[in-house]
Amino acid sequence: MTDFLNVLALLSNFAIVPGLAYGSQLALGALGVTLVYGVLRFSNFAHGETMSFGAMATILVTWALQARGISLGPLPTALLALPVGIAITIGLCLVTDRLVYRYYRQEKTQPVTYLIVSVGLMFLLGGLIRFIIGPNDQVFNDGTRFILKAGTFKAMTGLDQGLAIKTSQSITVVTAVIIVCVLFWFLNKTRAGKSMRAYSDNEDLALLSGINPERVVMVTWIITGALACIAGTLYGLDKSYKPFTFLQLLLPIFASAIVGGIGNPFGAIAGGFVIAFSELFVTFAYKKVLAYLLPSGFAPDGLVQLLSTDYKFAVSFMILVIVLLIKPTGLFSGRTL
Amino acid sequence: MTPRIKHLSLFSIMMMLLIMVGLIQSWNVALTILNLCLISAIMTLGVNIQWGYAGLFNAGVMGFTALGGLAAILVSVPPVPEAWQAGGSRTILGLCFGGISIGIAVVTWLKTANWGKKRYWLTGAVVAAGYAVMRVTVDPGIAAIEAVEPAKTGFLGGFGLPILFSWLVGGAFAAGAAWVVGKIALGLRSDYLAIATLGISEIIIYFLKNEDWLTRGVKNVNGLARPVPYEIDLQSAVWVQTWAERLGIPVIEASSIVVKLSYAALFLSVLLVVFWLSETALKSPWGRMMRAIRDNEIAASAMGKDITWRHLQVFVLGSAVIGIAGAMLTTLDGQFTPASYQPLRFTFLIWVMVIVGGSGNNLGSVIGGFVIWFFWIEAEPIGLALMDLITAGMDTDSALRHHLMENAAHMRLMTMGLVLLLALRFAPQGLIPEGKR
């Protein structure tokens, strides 16, 4: 029994708790991609850099607050800076839409042109971000680091394995839950949300019933900007902020959106957790787990790792491939063209 | 202005720019730029085959380039007998097991089409068992190989053949990878190909960085054999000495100019062959069919064309050309450094070249490759000078000035992004438009 509890603590510490946090971050990112896809009908390659931009804006505001000696006590100051960061990111999304995407919308260009345009924007933003904050690692997480320390957990339960929960992890999960609830309330109960869903379902019918497309697009960008900034900041709080990681995050985010069914918000959330947990469980070293579960003397020598940690991004790709081969519409049947 | 005169003037302006670099900076720099311009032009032709002929968006140019680089080391590096002895056969055997189990899995999948849910479990079990067998066989082999003098070798080495062969092998590697990706992602929505290629290219780079037994990983492979003479040998050659004397330049510089010129001749001949082949293909019935598919898929499929198969064909061909260019690039560098593969440099920049040059037009792609590479290289000194000018009024030790100067290098990224957006918006046809046929 103790062995089993130890295994549980071990898995929680190294896979389940980090997975919940990472999954929430991916889910928030994938929600942004999926909303843009549903309404504007293209895969937004610039989303990763938008997240990065949002995180950068939040970091800059955080630094300004810290310089004035303002803090949130045990919570990271970044939470206080987040609303300003969100506002800046929304501004960025609206400006890029006005300057870049609107022209192609009026021209009714093919989705693949949008794709290239978003790639161009991705690099423009990437350059801008590196120009402003530099390419290096930025740590901006302050406040208490852990809400549950491994030592405290061991003392509490008397187990050999510790379980640590970082403040940033719990903040991530709580924020994600709140954001998702607000988003679904918005999409299902408010007029603007309903018009967005109508527009996404059937553009012509929505136009006939008097929905203003420009307004729908604007609302979409506002939500996308807010989601991107929150996702980017949470990721930065949890790991650390490095501009180049956001290009690599693009693949898991797209995979999450596609696995759940692109264009489907519920699918994006599910997809985020599917990707996060598979990434962690596939690259998890099962040596200690087996040592507890197998009779003594049978413990393996190697790490018993299915795939080395360096390949964690390959996991999301493999899941993407499996989904594309078996069910291209995704688990929750998103839209297909 | 007729098109012919326009093309000629574009190319002569380009040549004049290179000559100016030669006169102002040095001929060595000018030739280095020219060599990379030629390679870029070949890559651009490859992407143009995919995008210009068929409208396929390949976001993984970097990965196919890197596969070409892998071919260069596998072909040219002499084999490491100790490593082969230590774990070679075991590793190869394990990889064969892996290949066989993939084959069995595919057969299982195809043969069980109406088995319902059992199909997934059965195929999954086959894959898992195959993977386990492969790992158990391969892992000790790899460990043994990597333990052989890790500081010097620690990998299997290659076949010790002339490096020129690797250009073809690189094309084949890239074509193989493209076939797999295309098989999965083509025929679905157009975005899926972009996302899948983005993914595969990242994974190829991770693979090259981590599989030390094959590529030495981040330890790099240096000193690849060259297809052209070495500077040291040239410096003692009489004809180089007299030539240098006549031109009044140091022998060392003359020898490196000769080396670069020989590379340029090799690259130019490949470029001409690829260009001629792509032009011929474009003008042939096959090319007309590809453009018909690109312009109206529904009409083309109504005429009985198998769109997915044709897309796969053109995707594989384009990727092969990119792979060839990748092998050429590693040949020119003389070393294989997996960490140097950046999506910005190898995927995005090539796309800027295609769009600016003129998608669908091979001549446009070539000039796009030349122009963008030229400005990509020369943007750095220009950007620094510009930043210096802008910040000239500030205090020498002002923090803002310091920050701006330090990050001026990232201006290139922004500039290229801006160039792409502006080109797409205001000149989507590019420098040399596709034109009517």
Side-chain angles (χ1 to χ4, degrees), chain A residues 37 43 131-132 306 311, chain B residues 131 135 189 191 210-211 403:
Chain A
Y37 187 82
S43 305
F131 188 65
I132 296 175
L306 286 176
Y311 287 115
Chain B
Y131 184 72
R135 278 291 296 270
R189 268 211 345 259
D191 316 40
N210 288 306
E211 297 305 310
H403 178 84

Side-chain angles (χ1 to χ4, degrees), chain B residues 17 28 48 67 84 106 123 183 218 221 223 246 248 269 275 287 302 307 362 418:
Chain B
L17 282 175
N28 253 321
N48 185 45
L67 281 180
W84 274 101
V106 170
T123 318
K183 208 63 188 152
V218 284
V221 181
R246 200 175 310 152
S269 39
F275 181 82
I307 302 208
N362 289 319
L418 206 57

Side-chain angles (χ1 to χ4, degrees), chain A residues 44-55:
Chain A
N44 184 10
F45 270 64
H47 195 76
E49 296 301 331
T50 314
M51 281 166 63
S52 174
F53 189 91

Side-chain angles (χ1 to χ4, degrees), chain A residues 37 43 99 103-104 116 123-124 127-128 131-132 247-248 258 305-307 310-311 313 317 324 326 328, chain B residues 57 120 131 135 189 191-192 194 196 203 206-207 210-211 343-344 348 403-404 407 413-414 420 424-425:
Chain A
Y37 187 82
S43 305
L99 292 180
Y103 169 78
Y104 299 98
I116 302 182
F123 281 97
L124 183 66
L128 191 67
F131 188 65
I132 296 175
L247 186 65
Q248 294 171 334
I258 292 175
Q305 205 173 7
L306 286 176
L307 209 58
D310 299 315
Y311 287 115
F313 289 109
F317 182 74
L324 288 188
I326 295 175
Chain B
F57 184 77
Y120 300 112
Y131 184 72
R135 278 291 296 270
R189 268 211 345 259
D191 316 40
Y192 283 172
I203 289 165
Y206 278 113
F207 177 82
N210 288 306
E211 297 305 310
L344 164 72
F348 176 62
H403 178 84
L404 286 177
N407 289 324
L413 206 69
M414 266 161 74
L420 183 71
L424 275 172
R425 171 79 180 263

Side-chain angles (χ1 to χ4, degrees), chain A residues 37 41-43 45 98-100 103-104 110-113 115-135 247-248 250-251 254-255 258 262 305-308 310-311 313-315 317-318 320-321 324-326 328-330 335-337, chain B residues 51 55-57 59 109 120 131 135 181 183-185 188-192 194-200 202-203 206-211 294-295 343-345 347-348 351 355 387 403-404 406-411 413-418 420-426 428:
Chain A
Y37 187 82
R41 298 194 163 72
F42 72 98
S43 305
F45 270 64
R98 174 73 188 74
L99 292 180
V100 182
Y103 169 78
Y104 299 98
Q110 289 180 322
V112 71
T113 311
L115 208 67
I116 302 182
V117 169
S118 75
V119 172
L121 200 61
M122 164 171 113
F123 281 97
L124 183 66
L125 284 179
L128 191 67
I129 290 161
R130 284 163 180 76
F131 188 65
I132 296 175
I133 204 165
L247 186 65
Q248 294 171 334
L250 206 54
L251 181 63
F254 272 128
I258 292 175
I262 195 161
Q305 205 173 7
L306 286 176
L307 209 58
S308 102
D310 299 315
Y311 287 115
F313 289 109
V315 177
F317 182 74
M318 280 186 288
L320 180 67
V321 165
L324 288 188
L325 286 176
I326 295 175
T329 50
R335 103 187 15 259
T336 42
L337 285 178
Chain B
W51 168 244
L56 300 175
F57 184 77
W109 177 252
Y120 300 112
Y131 184 72
R135 278 291 296 270
V181 178
K183 208 63 188 152
I184 295 165
L188 300 170
R189 268 211 345 259
S190 58
D191 316 40
Y192 283 172
I195 295 167
T197 44
L198 178 85
I200 194 83
E202 288 286 336
I203 289 165
Y206 278 113
F207 177 82
L208 297 180
K209 274 186 193 165
N210 288 306
E211 297 305 310
R294 179 195 66 189
D295 292 339
L344 164 72
R345 154 78 180 84
T347 301
F348 176 62
W351 270 95
I355 302 287
M387 262 308 144
H403 178 84
L404 286 177
E406 200 166 81
N407 289 324
H410 303 297
M411 286 288 280
L413 206 69
M414 266 161 74
T415 322
M416 283 299 156
L418 206 57
L420 183 71
L421 288 179
L422 291 176
L424 275 172
R425 171 79 180 263
F426 297 108

Side-chain angles (χ1 to χ4, degrees), chain A residues 51-128:
Chain A
M51 281 166 63
S52 174
F53 189 91
M56 179 193 75
T58 313
I59 290 174
L60 293 179
V61 178
T62 310
W63 284 344
L65 288 175
Q66 282 168 344
R68 279 173 185 69
I70 304 169
S71 80
L72 269 182
L75 296 173
T77 318
L79 283 186
L80 208 57
L82 192 58
V84 186
I86 292 175
I88 296 173
T89 320
I90 290 175
L92 173 88
C93 284
L94 292 177
V95 167
T96 50
D97 181 66
R98 174 73 188 74
L99 292 180
V100 182
Y101 293 120
R102 199 172 79 158
Y103 169 78
Y104 299 98
R105 205 157 52 239
Q106 285 164 352
E107 297 279 300
K108 295 214 184 305
T109 27
Q110 289 180 322
V112 71
T113 311
Y114 273 104
L115 208 67
I116 302 182
V117 169
S118 75
V119 172
L121 200 61
M122 164 171 113
F123 281 97
L124 183 66
L125 284 179
L128 191 67

Side-chain angles (χ1 to χ4, degrees), chain A residues 18-278:
Chain A
L20 278 174
Y22 182 44
S24 314
Q25 291 148 9
L26 283 185
L28 289 177
L31 270 175
V33 168
T34 245
L35 283 180
V36 170
Y37 187 82
V39 174
L40 294 142
R41 298 194 163 72
F42 72 98
S43 305
N44 184 10
F45 270 64
H47 195 76
E49 296 301 331
T50 314
M51 281 166 63
S52 174
F53 189 91
M56 179 193 75
T58 313
I59 290 174
L60 293 179
V61 178
T62 310
W63 284 344
L65 288 175
Q66 282 168 344
R68 279 173 185 69
I70 304 169
S71 80
L72 269 182
L75 296 173
T77 318
L79 283 186
L80 208 57
L82 192 58
V84 186
I86 292 175
I88 296 173
T89 320
I90 290 175
L92 173 88
C93 284
L94 292 177
V95 167
T96 50
D97 181 66
R98 174 73 188 74
L99 292 180
V100 182
Y101 293 120
R102 199 172 79 158
Y103 169 78
Y104 299 98
R105 205 157 52 239
Q106 285 164 352
E107 297 279 300
K108 295 214 184 305
T109 27
Q110 289 180 322
V112 71
T113 311
Y114 273 104
L115 208 67
I116 302 182
V117 169
S118 75
V119 172
L121 200 61
M122 164 171 113
F123 281 97
L124 183 66
L125 284 179
L128 191 67
I129 290 161
R130 284 163 180 76
F131 188 65
I132 296 175
I133 204 165
N136 301 324
D137 217 347
Q138 312 286 353
V139 179
F140 62 109
N141 191 1
D142 51 6
T144 333
R145 228 174 112 59
F146 289 100
I147 54 171
L148 179 63
K149 282 189 180 150
T152 328
F153 179 82
K154 281 186 201 167
M156 246 161 52
T157 55
L159 292 172
D160 297 341
Q161 291 300 327
L163 170 64
I165 300 177
K166 282 197 281 183
T167 318
S168 56
Q169 287 168 334
S170 48
I171 288 177
T172 301
V173 175
V174 171
T175 318
V177 170
I178 296 173
I179 296 297
V180 167
C181 291
V182 171
L183 182 69
F184 276 86
W185 170 80
F186 174 81
L187 286 177
N188 291 317
K189 301 284 178 207
T190 62
R191 222 182 143 70
K194 282 179 189 165
S195 60
M196 239 174 95
R197 284 195 300 139
Y199 186 83
S200 160
D201 266 354
N202 188 331
E203 196 179 333
D204 295 332
L205 211 56
L207 292 180
L208 269 178
S209 48
I211 288 171
N212 178 2
E214 285 302 307
R215 211 184 125 75
V216 169
V217 169
M218 197 179 86
V219 172
T220 311
W221 279 120
I222 290 176
I223 299 174
T224 308
L227 283 171
C229 178
I230 295 168
T233 307
L234 290 178
Y235 187 82
L237 271 181
D238 194 15
K239 312 272 160 47
S240 72
Y241 175 79
K242 222 183 286 174
F244 85 89
T245 49
F246 288 89
L247 186 65
Q248 294 171 334
L249 261 185
L250 206 54
L251 181 63
I253 287 177
F254 272 128
S256 311
I258 292 175
V259 167
I262 195 161
N264 179 337
F266 184 70
I269 298 167
F273 285 104
V274 168
I275 295 288
F277 280 118
S278 7

